[in-house]
Amino acid sequence: MGRPWSALSRHGRAVVVTGASGGVGRATALAFAARGDRVALLARGREGLAAAADEVQRAGGEALVVPVDMSDAKAVDDAAQKVADTFGGIDVWVNNAFAGVFAPFTEVTPDEFRRVTEVTYLGCVFGTRAALRHMLPRDRGTVVQVGSALAYRGIPLQSAYCGAKHAIQGFNESLRCELLHAGSGVRTTMVQLPALNTPQFDWVLSRMPGRARPVAPVYQPEVAARAIVHAAAHGRRREYWVGGSTVATLLANAVAPGLLDRYLARNAFEAQQDGSAEGGSGNLWSPADGPHGRDFGAHGRFDEESLPGSSQEWLSRNRGRAGAALVVGAGVLTARAVKRRG
């Protein structure tokens, strides 16, 4: 079995975050850095990576920038080796990198669909394989797959992304069973996220008449980051659902998927557009925060409507304490009832 989390934290864990140049990856890297961890930042966009490294260091962590395209298995292996050589191993690997296209399926070209699949799904597979190569010999470490409510429930206009997230879900379940069978100290877990205020809606390729936006309610990326950091410390748990909207969507899909199909057919097209006739230019083939781009940071343009926290996410992270509180509360109520009867 691996060393306990507390022992690792005294020395600063060696953490890899893919897609770390912006959005959820950026917020997650900063959350690990705030705990004093050493954070390897993997992504394509050099402008975003440089800014992320500066923020990690100012937050109290140690940063290692490793530019890489996650669809390149050899490059991912080389990146993992560089991290292990620099940090002395890998304790946590967070698979967060993705690509997407906002368009009806019939308007997505085969090459675009393949590219989304290679970055989002195969990037996760290649990242996991690279992480296990360093974790399994040490019999410790945690791989966190960053998922979405869309890993269970597909929605219109995001067929390639939804397909990739569904694939990650199945892949992770298979791997989890294999690790359990082997009695391994290495853990894998998955965090299913809600709609988030990230820059992706300004850089994902879009062919919609309106400007791409997340389906409300929208949460700040720090909500996701807290859940991911918690999952890395508690990898025995199978998965985490973040946000009340995620829980509602997954439960509705389990109970009445046909009705949800019809609801999304009626409402999800308009809900993913803000009405302005401006589509994203796309970072599918080259990063929007590359040499000729700019740093986008962790937040998108939806700060005014985004929620900074989620009671459901807190309960998910603290279900032991919440359960104990319920037990104590029930005991107090029972004692009062008995007293009144007496």
Side-chain angles (χ1 to χ4, degrees):
M1 299 297 289
R3 282 185 290 167
W5 185 262
S6 57
L8 289 172
S9 63
R10 286 198 297 270
H11 305 285
R13 292 148 295 183
V15 179
V16 175
V17 180
T18 75
S21 61
V24 170
R26 179 79 157 261
T28 299
L30 293 180
F32 279 114
R35 300 171 67 95
D37 292 329
R38 297 164 291 162
V39 186
L41 307 164
L42 275 60
R44 296 176 299 160
R46 294 179 183 270
E47 295 295 324
L49 283 172
D54 181 63
E55 289 184 354
V56 163
Q57 291 166 347
R58 286 191 280 115
E62 179 183 343
L64 174 65
V65 170
V66 188
V68 65
D69 187 324
M70 292 302 296
S71 69
D72 184 336
K74 175 63 165 56
V76 174
D77 282 341
D78 292 344
Q81 189 62 55
K82 181 176 181 179
V83 175
D85 291 342
T86 303
F87 289 163
I90 299 173
D91 299 311
V92 176
W93 185 292
V94 179
N95 280 312
N96 169 72
F98 78 95
V101 177
F102 279 85
F105 169 68
T106 53
E107 296 180 22
V108 181
T109 70
D111 284 343
E112 290 167 348
F113 206 101
R114 182 182 299 109
R115 176 64 176 166
V116 172
T117 304
E118 288 175 346
V119 174
T120 309
Y121 172 52
L122 292 182
C124 170
V125 172
F126 297 155
T128 301
R129 184 182 296 277
L132 293 180
R133 185 171 289 114
H134 296 277
M135 291 178 178
L136 290 175
R138 304 165 73 203
D139 196 34
R140 65 174 184 263
T142 302
V143 178
V144 181
Q145 319 289 14
V146 177
S148 166
L150 307 189
Y152 287 96
R153 173 65 249 182
I155 64 173
L157 302 175
Q158 295 196 56
S159 57
Y161 178 81
C162 291
K165 287 298 184 181
H166 274 67
I168 293 171
Q169 176 70 24
F171 159 71
N172 190 62
E173 289 176 345
S174 179
L175 173 62
R176 177 177 167 81
C177 293
E178 292 175 7
L179 293 173
L180 290 170
H181 173 78
S184 176
V186 178
R187 307 297 178 196
T188 182
T189 186
M190 194 164 181
V191 181
Q192 313 295 12
L193 300 180
L196 296 161
N197 174 33
T198 69
Q200 67 159 303
F201 301 96
D202 290 326
W203 69 30
V204 170
L205 177 62
S206 175
R207 295 197 176 96
M208 299 189 298
R211 197 176 185 186
R213 61 152 292 133
V215 178
V218 183
Y219 296 85
Q220 294 288 24
E222 287 77 15
V223 175
R226 288 194 295 269
I228 292 166
V229 170
H230 180 81
H234 301 84
R236 288 180 178 272
R237 185 164 159 186
R238 187 173 187 270
E239 68 178 18
Y240 294 81
W241 294 1
V242 179
S245 57
T246 297
V247 174
T249 298
L250 299 188
L251 292 179
N253 191 61
V255 174
L259 289 176
L260 195 52
D261 288 343
R262 290 170 174 79
Y263 174 83
L264 292 170
R266 288 194 304 269
N267 298 287
F269 282 74
E270 290 186 2
Q272 294 183 81
Q273 303 177 61
D274 67 6
S276 59
E278 180 181 348
S281 59
N283 71 335
L284 193 60
W285 305 106
S286 60
D289 54 354
H292 303 293
R294 65 177 177 86
D295 172 39
F296 284 80
H299 287 214
R301 64 182 193 274
F302 306 99
D303 277 328
E304 290 186 1
E305 68 175 274
S306 296
L307 303 171
S310 164
S311 57
Q312 180 280 329
E313 181 262 336
W314 186 92
L315 287 170
S316 179
R317 288 189 290 111
N318 297 276
R319 62 180 185 176
R321 278 189 281 175
L326 287 173
V327 170
V328 171
V332 170
L333 290 174
T334 301
R336 288 177 177 173
V338 170
K339 186 177 180 180
R340 283 198 298 270
R341 292 193 193 102

